[in-house]
Amino acid sequence: MPEAVIEIRQIVKNFQVGDSTVRALRGVDLTIERGSFVAIMGPSGSGKSTLLNILGCLDRPTSGKYFLGPDDVAEMDDDTLSRVRGKRLGFIFQSYNLIAQLTVIENIQVPLIYQQEDLEEHHDRCVALAKLVGLENRLDHRPNQLSGGQQQRVAIARSLVNEPLMILADEPTGNLDSETEAEVLDILNDLNSEGKTIVMVTHDDAVAQHAHRVIHMKDGVIAREVINEPAIR
């Protein structure tokens, strides 16, 4: 049986809005195995973004258990959570979140800077990641010299630099045209085929078909799950 990268049990997340309590997650159970590709879908207010934030250690649950590998991150303090986030997770965002003043290679290196790693020691790896996403000839370019698809490729390379346990992608193709969307999905498919675990939030059914599993959220719970066999490649 595949090893579980993530196991969450009865995750609850409440937000206080004035005198009212908003129940964003209402007891979610989810296991994600190593090497899987999972899409999370749902309408606005369904809890999908809240769930992704908790999976990404960007927020903590009100109650419940969240095991990332062997560790219950729901019990960690903020400093420990930040270290776990930096070392075990890679992030890809809809808006790329590149630093405008930095070059391609420097943007790929950003997670290493946060972890106080020796950049020279990791230089060849960063160049190899740029090559992996087809940007080996753009190392000295800045974001404003790149297309949207190229910027997202930088973001993908950046998400891999710390050799994360899992990649979390939040609407990674949301700002891209159809041709570029297909190119980015091809890269994600290839990474998954090589064993990377990917969890992706998307509103697009066609994009979700690239995942092995599609989790549909509604009213703070998992309403249903669809298994794609085989997933689109």
Side-chain angles (χ1 to χ4, degrees):
M1 186 174 180
E3 175 190 358
V5 172
I6 281 178
E7 189 170 357
I8 63 175
R9 292 289 174 260
Q10 288 299 295
I11 288 290
V12 171
K13 180 63 181 180
N14 298 329
F15 295 99
Q16 200 66 30
V17 180
D19 295 330
S20 301
T21 299
V22 176
R23 300 179 64 199
L25 296 176
R26 303 176 179 231
V28 175
D29 294 325
L30 180 63
T31 300
I32 297 175
E33 287 90 16
R34 183 181 296 275
S36 60
F37 190 164
V38 177
I40 301 174
M41 303 188 73
S44 178
S46 64
K48 65 182 185 300
S49 295
T50 301
L51 179 58
L52 190 74
N53 285 341
I54 288 174
L55 294 179
C57 300
L58 297 168
D59 199 358
R60 58 177 68 249
T62 302
S63 64
K65 296 288 186 180
Y66 171 17
F67 290 94
L68 179 59
D71 301 318
D72 185 0
V73 297
E75 301 296 329
M76 292 179 180
D77 61 33
D78 289 344
D79 288 343
T80 306
L81 206 60
S82 179
R83 287 195 295 273
V84 167
R85 185 167 60 243
K87 288 184 175 295
R88 298 196 196 177
L89 302 173
F91 294 89
I92 304 169
F93 301 97
Q94 179 177 353
S95 56
Y96 323 130
N97 285 18
L98 303 182
I99 298 174
Q101 297 85 355
L102 301 185
T103 64
V104 165
I105 192 69
E106 289 168 343
N107 268 288
I108 294 172
Q109 292 170 335
V110 163
L112 299 173
I113 295 171
Y114 289 149
Q115 296 299 318
Q116 298 181 323
E117 297 281 354
D118 184 331
L119 297 185
E120 188 62 35
E121 182 180 332
H122 293 276
H123 178 77
D124 289 348
R125 171 169 168 72
C126 293
V127 172
L129 288 172
K131 184 175 182 180
L132 177 71
V133 297
L135 293 176
E136 64 271 26
N137 297 322
R138 299 285 190 275
L139 297 182
D140 295 324
H141 286 58
R142 287 180 167 76
N144 64 0
Q145 298 172 299
L146 303 173
S147 68
Q150 288 172 329
Q151 290 185 63
Q152 194 60 297
R153 288 168 182 261
V154 178
I156 292 171
R158 180 187 60 195
S159 77
L160 295 168
V161 74
N162 276 340
E163 301 184 273
L165 196 61
M166 176 176 62
I167 296 171
L168 296 167
D170 188 4
E171 299 280 6
T173 62
N175 285 340
L176 305 177
D177 60 58
S178 297
E179 182 178 351
T180 309
E181 173 184 285
E183 293 172 355
V184 167
L185 287 170
D186 282 344
I187 294 173
L188 294 179
N189 287 335
D190 288 345
L191 290 171
N192 179 245
S193 296
E194 293 166 6
K196 291 293 182 186
T197 307
I198 300 174
V199 178
M200 172 178 67
V201 164
T202 181
H203 68 279
D204 190 326
D205 285 318
V207 171
Q209 290 304 307
H210 288 256
H212 303 146
R213 299 166 61 194
V214 184
I215 305 296
H216 291 266
M217 301 286 297
K218 185 178 181 180
D219 297 330
V221 298
I222 295 175
R224 63 189 177 97
E225 177 177 338
V226 177
I227 306 297
N228 291 332
E229 294 185 8
I232 294 174
R233 289 292 182 264

